Amino acid sequence: MHDHRTTTEARLKRVLEERLWPAVYPESVPLTVGVWHAPGEPVPVAEGIAAPRTPIEPGAPWGPPWGTSWFTVSGTVPEKWAGRTVEALLDLGFDENMPGFQCEGLVYRPDGSPVKGLNPRNQWVRIAAPARGGEEVHLHVEASANPVILDYHPFLPTELGDRETAGDVPQYRLARMDLAVFDQTVWELAHDLEVLGQLMAELGEDTARRWEILRAVERALDAVDLQDIGGTAARAREPLAGVLAAPAHASAHRISAVGHAHIDSAWLWPLRETVRKVARTASNMTALLEDEPDFVYAMSQAQQYAWLKEHRPEVYARVKKAVADGRFVPVGGMWVESDTNMPGSEALARQFVHGKRFFLEEFGVETEEVWLPDTFGYSAALPQLVRQAGAKWFLTQKISWSRDNKFPHHTFWWEGLDGTRVFTHFPPMDTYNAQLSGQEVAHAARNFREKGAATRSLAPTGWGDGGGGTTRDMLARARRLADLEGSAKVVFEKPSAFFEKAHAEYPDAPVWTGELYLELHRATLTSQVRTKQGNRRSEHLLYEAELWSATAAVRTGHPYPYEELDRLWKEVLLHQFHDILPGTSIAWVHREAAERYARIAAELEGLIGAAQRALAGDPSAGRTLVFNAAPHGREAVPARGARPEREAPNGTGCVPRAGGGYVLDNGLLRAEIDGRGLLVSLYDLRAGRETLAPGKAANLLQLHQDFPTMWDAWDVDEFYRNTVTDLVDAEAVEAVDGGTAGAVRVRRTFGSSAVEQVLTLPPGAARLEIATEVDWHETEKFLKAAFPLDVHADRVAAETQFGHLYRPTHTNTSWDAAKFEACAHRFVHVEEPGWGVALVTDSTYGYDASRAARESGRGTTTTVRLSLLRAPRFPDPRTDQGTHRFRCALVPGAGIGDAVREGWALNLPERRVAGSATAVEPLVTVADEAVTVTAVKLADDGSGDVVVRLHEARGGRVRTELACGFPVASAVRCDLLERPVETGEERCEGGLLPLELHPFEIVTLRLGRGATEEA
C-alpha cells in the first residue's frame, strides 16, 4: 500500500483549523455594545452596571493599562434559531496564546449575579439550549485591561508593571461580539479528529494502531462535505467510532486529571487584580461543574477563598455548595502557595495553621495533601510540618524545571530534616497547566520514572498562572482518552483518590532525603531586598508581639490581641507567596509590599509596647528594664524575660594600625582593618588562632556582571562568577567617635553607587558586627560580601526552618555543583572538629560557599559569601534602586549552638522600657539550650491556655525539662493547629515538664493555666 501518511496528516490539520473549528458556529448576528470606562480603580458591581454607556464597535480601542471597562451587550435571538443552542461570543481583543496574561472579563446578568469569566480560551457564554426565537439577550462584562508584561519577546524591561508608570495608551481593540448558533455535532467531530490526530502523532510509524487511526481519519475526511459541514458532520463521525471505542491496553498508564487553575496570588498583576482573577475562574469552574457531572475541580490557597468570601459573596456561595457536593475540592492546606525557602520557622508553620483552619471552619474539610506546583524549591523542614499539620501527601511539579540534573523519581517518600517522611508525587506530565493534549498524555506515560513498579500519575488540568481553569474542550479530550487504545487512561478524580490509589500500589516507593533543591531561580533569594527585609522583620515582630502579649496576659491580665495578631499573621503569610517574597513580581506588587510591611511593623510595635508597659509598671519609678525576647539568655537577662539594666562591660580598644587602618580589641577577639577598610585579621584570643584565610581579606565587597539567559529577577547563572570586581578602594577609613566606640567606619563609591560600613567589636562579645548601608544605583549587577575563612570543611551548615542542613563546599558531582547559590536564614556555619565560625545575618538569604587550596599546598580554606543586592530589569525595571541597610556578624570559635544563639540575638535586639518592676519572669524556661522555643502565645481558641512551640536545634537527641513560670493545670502535646495528639496528657510536676526530643523534632505544648492565674 502506498504511503500517503504525511498528506493525510497535513490534510487533517488544515481541515480542522480552516473548516471544522470555524463551522462550530455556523450562523451569527452582531450584538449591540456599549461601554463605560471606570476612572481609577475598579468599582463595585452595582456601580459598574448602573453607569451610563457609550456605543462602541468592534475594532475600537479600549483599556488603558490596569483600567476597567464595563461593556453591555444586547440583542435578540433570531426566530429561525428557535430550538437550537445559542451562545454569545465575546472577544475583548484576546490573543488565544496568552490565557491568564492579558485582558479578562467577568460576565454578569442584569441583576448583578455573575455568569462566568471570559479569557482568551473561554470566550463563549451559553444563552439557551434550546433557544426561543425573539428571546432578548442582555449581559454586562466587567473587563480588565491587564497589560501584557511577559510578551512574545520575553524579559524586556517595561514600565507597564505599575499603574504609576504605565501611561494611558489603550492596550486592546474590541473584537467579535456576536450571538451565534453552537453546533454540537460539529464540535464533537472536531474533537474526535483532534484527539485521534494527536494520538496518531505519538505512535510509532511502524505500529498497526497508527495506521488504523490514519485510515479511519481518511474515511472521515472523505465523508465531510466542506460546503455542508453541519449537514455531514454526523456521517463523518461514523468511521471514527470504531477506533475511538478500542480499549486501552491493560498495562496502560493511568492519569488522574484534576481540574485546576494555578492562580498566582500576585505576579505580573497586583493583589487587587488577583481578587478578580479568582472570582472569574471560580465562576467559570462552578458553571462547568453544573454542566459536566464527571468533572472535579481543585483549588488551593485559603487566602483566595477568603477573598471570594469578602469581595464576591455570590460566587463564594456557589463555591460552598460545590464543595459540599464534593466537586469543588479545597487542597493544599496553606494560606497561600508560599515560598518555602525563606519563610521563618513559625511563618511556615502558620501557613498550615491558618490555611487548614480556614478550610475546617468554612467547609469542614481536613485537607490531607500539600499542593505546591510552582514554588521554587522545597525546604527539608516541610515533611515534618506536613505531618504535624495533619496532612500526609505532597505534590509539586516545579522540580522538573531543574536545568542540571533530572530528578530520579516521580512518586517517592520524601524524608525531611528530622526523619519524618511524606508520600510525594511529581506529575510526569511536567506541567501544572495541562490541556490533556495527545503530546502531554504521551509524554506523561513515557516520562514516568516508576514504570514497572507503579502505574499512576496526576495531571493538574486547566489554564493557570493568571487563572482561567479547565475548559469544556479539555473535558471533551478526557472523555475520549478515558479508555483509548494507544493512550494512557485519563479520568477526572479528586487528588485524594489519586493519592490513596498511588500509595496503595507503591507503599515501598524509594526515599529522597533532604531538601528538594530547584536547580533554577536561585536569584529569588536576593531580588527585591526590601520585600525580604520586610518579611524578616515582620516575622520577628510577630514572635515578640505574641510572646510579650501572652506574658502580660498571664502576669497582669492585659488583654490578648487575638484578632489583631490573626489579621497581621495572614497579611505576612500572604506576602510570602512564591512570586512576592522571592522578588519576582511587577513593581506595583513590591511597592505595595513595602507600604504594607511599614504598617505591619508600626502596628506590631504598638502591641509590643503596650504589653511591655503593662509588664514594666510605673514608668516614673526611675528604673529601666531590659527585655530579652530571644530564646537564649544574654547579659544576665533570661530568655523571654526582663531584668533591670546593668552597667555596660568595659569598652573595646581602638588604636591605629601600622601601615594604615585600625585595630579593635575587646579581650576576646582582635580585629585588624587595613587602610583599604578591609578586614585582614580576626584573631580568636581564646583559642589562639586566626579566623581568616592566610593572605586574604574579609568583608570584601565584590561586584559581578549579572545578565542571565532568561528569567531576570529569578535567575543567576553560573557564568556570573567569570567576571568580578573587588571593591578595595576606600574614600575614608576612620575610627568612630575618635576611637571610643570600638568601631571603624569605611566609605566607598563604585559605579553610580556608594556604600558605608561600620565594623564594631562589642564589649564582652565574641563577634564582629558589620552594619552596611548601600546607596544602590547599578543595573544588571550582583553585589556579594566575601568572608574567606581559615577552616578546612567539605560542607557548611545553613539554617532553615526548625534546624539546619548541610551543603557541600565542593563540586564533586553535578548535584553538588548545581548548588552554587543557596538559602540560609540567620546563619551559615563552617566548622573543623573543635572550632568553627558562624556568619549571622539580619535580612540576607542568598549565599555561596566554596573551598580553595592554601598557597602552601597544605589543606584548604573555606569562603562564604553573602548575596546583598541585584539589579535585574524584568519584571521591575528599577528593582532595588535606592538605599538599603544590612547587618551581619562574624563569630569566631562558634559551635552550631553558638550560631543558633547569635542568629537569634542579631534579629531580636534587646528593648529598654522604663518601669517599676524588679523583673519580668519568663512564662517558660528550657534547661538545655539545644532546645529552642519559637513561639509562646495564647491558644487561638481564646481559652487562655498557653501554647509553646519548641524544637531541638543542634541536630542531636536531648532530654531536658520545661519549667513553667505559672501554675499549670494540664499539659498536652498538640499538632500545629493546637489539637491534642494521641500521646495523651504530659506529666507536669512542680511546674516541670520532662521533654525528650530527637534531632530537629518539633513539639507543640498546650498548657492549661491553673485557676489562681486566670486573668
Side-chain angles (χ1 to χ4, degrees), residues 515-695:
E515 66 181 327
L516 295 173
Y517 178 90
L518 178 64
E519 297 171 353
L520 194 73
H521 293 358
R522 302 168 181 89
T524 56
L525 303 172
T526 305
S527 298
Q528 297 286 2
V529 164
R530 288 186 186 89
T531 300
K532 291 169 171 57
Q533 292 181 329
N535 174 74
R536 178 79 72 90
R537 183 66 179 138
S538 296
E539 289 177 346
H540 287 87
L541 288 172
L542 280 161
Y543 164 85
E544 282 199 87
E546 288 183 338
L547 168 66
W548 298 125
S549 295
T551 306
V554 173
R555 296 280 183 241
T556 73
H558 182 73
Y560 190 80
Y562 291 101
E563 292 184 4
E564 294 92 333
L565 288 170
D566 180 79
R567 172 175 47 80
L568 291 167
W569 262 117
K570 288 173 179 174
E571 186 93 356
V572 172
L573 298 179
L574 166 60
H575 285 83
Q576 291 176 342
F577 178 75
H578 67 252
D579 275 308
I580 303 179
L581 181 54
T584 52
S585 289
I586 55 174
W588 188 345
V589 173
H590 292 290
R591 173 174 55 81
E592 284 192 337
E595 296 166 357
R596 292 182 185 216
Y597 280 132
R599 292 197 296 271
I600 289 168
E603 192 166 350
L604 287 170
E605 290 285 2
L607 296 178
I608 293 166
Q612 289 182 333
R613 286 192 295 274
L615 290 163
D618 183 1
S620 64
R623 180 182 291 129
T624 298
L625 272 76
V626 178
F627 282 79
N628 173 27
H632 315 92
R634 54 186 171 188
E635 297 176 8
V637 183
R640 299 171 296 279
R643 291 290 186 271
E645 187 172 34
R646 303 174 65 184
E647 289 187 12
N650 294 330
T652 298
C654 178
V655 298
R657 175 180 176 271
Y662 295 88
V663 177
L664 304 175
D665 191 327
N666 68 355
L668 300 174
L669 302 177
R670 183 175 64 243
E672 296 187 33
I673 297 98
D674 71 6
R676 302 170 298 171
L678 299 178
L679 180 67
V680 291
S681 175
L682 184 59
Y683 195 78
D684 185 347
L685 296 168
R686 302 158 302 171
R689 65 174 288 175
E690 176 59 54
T691 303
L692 305 186

Side-chain angles (χ1 to χ4, degrees), residues 453-473:
T455 64
R456 300 176 183 277
S457 68
L458 186 145
T461 302
W463 296 108
D465 292 315
T470 317
T471 66
R472 64 183 179 185
D473 302 279

Side-chain angles (χ1 to χ4, degrees), residues 422-472:
V422 60
F423 193 75
T424 300
H425 180 66
F426 288 170
M429 199 170 282
D430 287 346
T431 179
Y432 49 79
N433 295 325
Q435 304 169 56
L436 300 183
S437 68
Q439 190 277 330
E440 289 175 337
V441 171
H443 175 74
R446 284 194 300 263
N447 188 41
F448 188 53
R449 302 296 289 265
E450 318 307 318
K451 287 188 284 287
T455 64
R456 300 176 183 277
S457 68
L458 186 145
T461 302
W463 296 108
D465 292 315
T470 317
T471 66
R472 64 183 179 185

